[in-house]
């Protein structure tokens, strides 16, 4: 290597270039918020230690991001654009400890060009936070193994606790650590020292506020996690498991995931505890749990993302050590091509003479909500002081953002708790008042018992494409009687 070559400098340069490019793409796309992003934004207006479906970290991140950059869609997502580069830096630090700075540079670049990271740099999602804290925990864990200092175990616990406040699956980092230490002749003795248990204690202490919130809200987040896992339904789905596995070629990258599968069966890598066995355990203990989830019931492709922190290091180390530089370049190049296709698919289709339609637009569900909100606001200007309600979580979340400062209520005659808005809003506070109700399925007859008089207005319609659009009924309820 050339002595003047400094991996740290090259990494920072790559981060700056890639982040600026993604910032320009986000500015040009001006993509509307997806329902979950709009919901997270509404959470950020009422900071708490927990929410219906997630721990609080995503709301805190959006609160900070919008305080710094404003409430535009870009402001809501800016923290994600900035956090992935910081995750790459943590991954660089972990790899430098495990191997060297040159492989650390390659690992960080593999992470930054991962197709899932390219997508998640432009959206607000809890996975971005989980990846950051997971990478930090891995870095501190490696330092703990090498230096045997309690302070590093404390750092592991801090990252673990913050990760638990981001997404419950951070708990699987404990499985990674336990499996590696338990099956390592060199490091097994650490389980009998105070360090690992201090890490566990610090992590649990950091997570306590969210646990307390759940205790006071009937463990609603845990129940939601159980519901989306669908483990209470028919078990064993080979087809879904195969779909999940196939999707990982898109999440990590086609060549990246193929090479990862190949490396998993190289027995010599399992024999060397650091770095290879640690990286294989960190990859497959998490990925194996999520694959089992997919086999038993269902698992979304993005659930496996933390696996690819260690996998990026594993892949970079093996490709560099074996001198397969061309394969490394091909892997990154293919990932970059996928990034460009995702970012500029509409331009590419137009150049190919293909007109955009609902069938080929992956972002169609993000579109049209600002226009729908404008129609709702127009009706509200005729009826100042009225309350807006809906039986659709998507409508409530999107109107919360695009019709602000109005805060819609959940229409919930059954007193169910199926989403954040049914948990936190209660229309019975407005008995005797007048409502605008937005719905897809309700009829005047359905609503007659809940108001003194019901009137149906012209439908709310926003056509995105000739074959796709937003279409909702809107009712006026005079003299709401309560449920």
């Amino acid at each position: 290597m050339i002595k003047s070559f400094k991996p740290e400098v090259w990494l920072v340069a790559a981060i700056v270039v890639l982040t600026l490019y993604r910032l320009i793409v986000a500015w040009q796309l001006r993509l509307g918020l997806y329902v979950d992003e709009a919901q997270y934004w509404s959470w950020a207006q009422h900071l708490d230690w927990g929410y219906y479906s997630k721990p609080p970290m995503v709301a805190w991140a959006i609160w900070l991001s919008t305080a710094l950059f404003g409430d535009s869609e870009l402001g809501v997502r800016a923290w994600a654009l900035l956090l992935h580069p910081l995750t790459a830096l943590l991954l660089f630090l972990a790899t430098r400890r495990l191997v060297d700075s040159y492989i650390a540079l390659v690992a960080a670049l593999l992470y930054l060009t991962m197709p899932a990271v390219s997508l998640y740099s432009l959206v607000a999602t809890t996975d971005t936070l989980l990846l950051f804290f997971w990478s930090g925990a891995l870095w501190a864990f490696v330092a703990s193994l090498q230096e045997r200092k309690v302070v590093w175990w404390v750092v592991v616990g801090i990252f673990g606790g913050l990760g638990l406040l981001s997404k419950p699956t951070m708990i699987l980092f404990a499985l990674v650590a336990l499996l590696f230490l338990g099956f390592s002749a060199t490091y097994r003795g650490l389980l009998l020292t105070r360090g690992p248990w201090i890490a566990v204690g610090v992590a649990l202490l950091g997570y306590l506020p969210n646990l307390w919130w759940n205790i006071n809200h009937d463990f609603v987040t845990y129940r939601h996690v159980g519901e989306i896992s669908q483990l209470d339904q028919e078990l064993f789905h080979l087809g879904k498991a195969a779909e999940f596995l196939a999707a990982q070629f898109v999440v990590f990258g086609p060549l990246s995931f193929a090479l990862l599968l190949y490396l998993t069966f190289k027995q010599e890598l399992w024999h060397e505890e650091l770095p290879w066995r640690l990286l294989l355990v960190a990859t497959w203990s998490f990925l194996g749990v999520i694959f089992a989830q997919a086999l038993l019931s269902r698992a979304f492709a993005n659930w496996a993302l933390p696996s690819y922190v260690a996998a990026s290091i594993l892949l970079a180390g093996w490709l560099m050590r074996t001198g397969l530089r061309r394969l490394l370049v091909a892997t990154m190049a293919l990932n970059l091509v996928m990034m460009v296709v995702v970012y500029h698919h509409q331009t590419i289709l137009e150049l190919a003479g293909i007109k955009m339609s609902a069938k080929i637009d992956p972002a169609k569900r993000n579109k049209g909500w600002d226009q729908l909100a404008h129609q709702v606001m127009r009706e509200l200007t005729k009826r100042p002081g009225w309350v807006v309600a809906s039986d659709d979580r998507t409508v409530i979340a999107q109107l919360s953002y695009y019709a602000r400062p109005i805060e819609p209520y959940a229409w919930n005659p059954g007193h169910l708790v199926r989403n954040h808005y049914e948990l936190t809003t209660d229309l019975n506070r407005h008995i005797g008042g007048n409502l605008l109700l937005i719905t897809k399925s309700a009829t005047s007859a359905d609503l007659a018992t809940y108001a003194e008089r019901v009137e149906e207005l012209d439908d709310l319609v926003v056509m995105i494409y000739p074959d796709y659009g937003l279409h909702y009924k809107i009712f006026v309820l005079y003299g709401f009687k309560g449920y």
Side-chain angles (χ1 to χ4, degrees):
M1 292 285 183
I2 301 172
K3 289 184 179 180
S4 61
F5 180 87
K6 294 185 188 247
E8 299 87 349
V9 174
W10 281 92
L11 177 58
V12 171
I15 284 173
V16 170
V17 170
L18 198 53
T19 303
L20 284 175
Y21 167 59
R22 285 171 171 162
L23 177 61
I24 293 169
V25 169
W27 181 263
Q28 290 179 335
L29 285 176
R30 297 181 182 275
L31 193 61
L33 297 185
Y34 182 62
V35 54
D36 288 344
E37 295 178 293
Q39 176 179 251
Y40 299 155
W41 178 89
S42 69
W43 292 358
Q45 312 314 300
H46 305 279
L47 294 182
D48 206 340
W49 285 106
Y51 301 93
Y52 172 81
S53 58
K54 296 289 190 301
M57 190 64 72
V58 67
W60 299 351
I62 291 174
W63 175 86
L64 178 61
S65 183
T66 52
L68 293 173
F69 305 112
D71 276 310
S72 68
E73 290 92 345
L74 185 55
V76 172
R77 297 164 171 153
W79 64 272
L81 185 65
L82 298 174
L83 201 59
H84 283 293
L86 295 178
T87 303
L89 289 174
L90 287 173
L91 193 150
F92 177 90
L93 294 175
T95 311
R96 187 170 64 180
R97 278 187 167 275
L98 281 169
V99 199
D100 60 48
S101 295
Y102 301 104
I103 291 175
L105 170 63
V106 175
L109 293 177
L110 276 172
Y111 172 84
L112 284 170
T113 57
M114 192 195 312
V117 170
S118 294
L119 174 62
Y120 282 1
S121 293
L122 303 188
V123 296
T125 171
T126 53
D127 288 309
T128 295
L129 292 159
L130 177 63
L131 286 167
F132 176 75
F133 294 120
W134 186 278
S135 299
L138 181 63
W139 165 59
F141 182 68
V142 170
S144 301
L145 297 177
Q146 294 175 336
E147 299 188 19
R148 310 292 179 97
K149 293 180 179 178
V150 170
V151 65
W152 282 113
W153 289 110
V154 173
V155 176
V156 172
I158 291 171
F159 277 110
L162 294 172
L164 288 171
L165 290 175
S166 303
K167 200 167 183 179
T169 43
M170 184 71 201
I171 199 172
L172 290 179
F173 192 88
L175 175 66
V176 170
L178 182 62
L179 286 176
F180 175 73
L181 294 174
F183 289 97
S184 168
T186 304
Y187 301 102
R188 188 179 301 133
L190 287 173
L191 288 171
L192 301 178
T193 66
R194 60 180 178 167
W197 308 110
I198 288 175
V200 171
V202 170
L204 291 177
L205 186 64
Y207 178 65
L208 273 180
N210 183 247
L211 176 60
W212 182 251
W213 183 92
N214 269 284
I215 290 172
N216 286 288
H217 290 82
D218 197 26
F219 296 97
V220 66
T221 306
Y222 303 130
R223 290 191 288 107
H224 171 72
V225 171
E227 289 166 2
I228 63 172
S229 68
Q230 295 186 352
L231 286 172
D232 58 336
Q233 300 183 20
E234 182 183 353
L235 300 180
F236 296 106
H237 303 272
L238 290 175
K240 289 184 179 180
E243 288 176 12
F244 170 81
L245 201 61
Q248 301 313 303
F249 287 91
V250 178
V251 172
F252 192 38
L255 273 175
S256 300
F257 193 67
L259 289 170
L260 174 62
L261 293 175
Y262 171 74
L263 292 180
T264 301
F265 295 99
K266 290 186 71 67
Q267 293 185 5
E268 62 269 25
L269 294 181
W270 288 94
H271 296 314
E272 187 177 343
E273 292 180 343
L274 288 184
W276 311 122
R277 189 191 299 173
L278 170 61
L279 296 172
L280 284 163
V281 168
T283 298
W284 282 103
S285 57
F286 192 100
L287 189 55
V289 168
I290 305 303
F291 178 75
Q293 169 75 34
L295 179 62
L296 290 173
S297 54
R298 70 169 181 178
F300 296 107
N302 63 292
W303 288 5
L305 270 172
S307 310
Y308 303 124
V309 173
S312 295
I313 304 173
L314 175 67
L315 196 57
W318 182 75
L319 288 171
M320 292 285 282
R321 287 284 178 87
T322 53
L324 298 173
R325 307 294 171 82
R326 290 184 179 178
L327 187 55
L328 174 62
V329 171
T331 300
M332 286 196 196
L334 184 55
N335 288 351
L336 287 170
V337 168
M338 292 176 70
M339 177 183 71
V340 171
V341 170
V342 169
Y343 289 173
H344 305 288
H345 65 277
Q346 185 166 349
T347 302
I348 293 170
L349 289 172
E350 289 173 355
L351 290 174
I354 301 173
K355 191 174 181 180
M356 284 293 291
S357 67
K359 292 181 179 179
I360 58 175
D361 185 359
K364 64 186 179 185
R365 288 186 293 176
N366 298 58
K367 297 178 177 179
W369 292 105
D370 54 341
Q371 299 173 54
L372 189 86
H374 178 73
Q375 293 181 27
V376 173
M377 292 293 288
R378 188 173 58 203
E379 294 298 334
L380 276 176
T381 56
K382 305 173 188 175
R383 303 168 178 88
W386 282 38
V387 173
V388 177
S390 178
D391 55 3
D392 188 321
R393 178 184 74 102
T394 300
V395 171
I396 301 172
Q398 295 288 10
L399 290 183
S400 295
Y401 179 76
Y402 286 107
R404 58 186 185 271
I406 292 166
E407 295 189 19
Y409 282 71
W411 177 260
N412 188 20
H415 301 284
L416 303 174
V417 180
R418 298 162 297 185
N419 59 59
H420 169 75
Y421 304 105
E422 290 181 344
L423 176 68
T424 59
T425 66
D426 182 9
L427 263 178
N428 279 334
R429 293 171 51 193
H430 296 279
I431 290 175
N434 302 319
L435 313 178
L436 283 179
L437 177 63
I438 301 163
T439 178
K440 270 189 177 294
S441 56
T443 65
S444 296
D446 298 330
L447 304 173
T449 57
Y450 300 109
E452 294 176 5
R453 183 161 64 92
V454 176
E455 176 185 343
E456 184 172 0
L457 303 179
D458 292 338
D459 288 359
L460 302 171
V461 180
V462 179
M463 295 308 299
I464 313 299
Y465 296 106
D467 58 342
Y468 176 82
L470 307 176
H471 195 149
Y472 289 90
K473 301 177 183 179
I474 181 168
F475 292 92
V476 175
L477 277 65
Y478 296 95
F480 176 55
K481 296 178 181 179
Y483 297 134

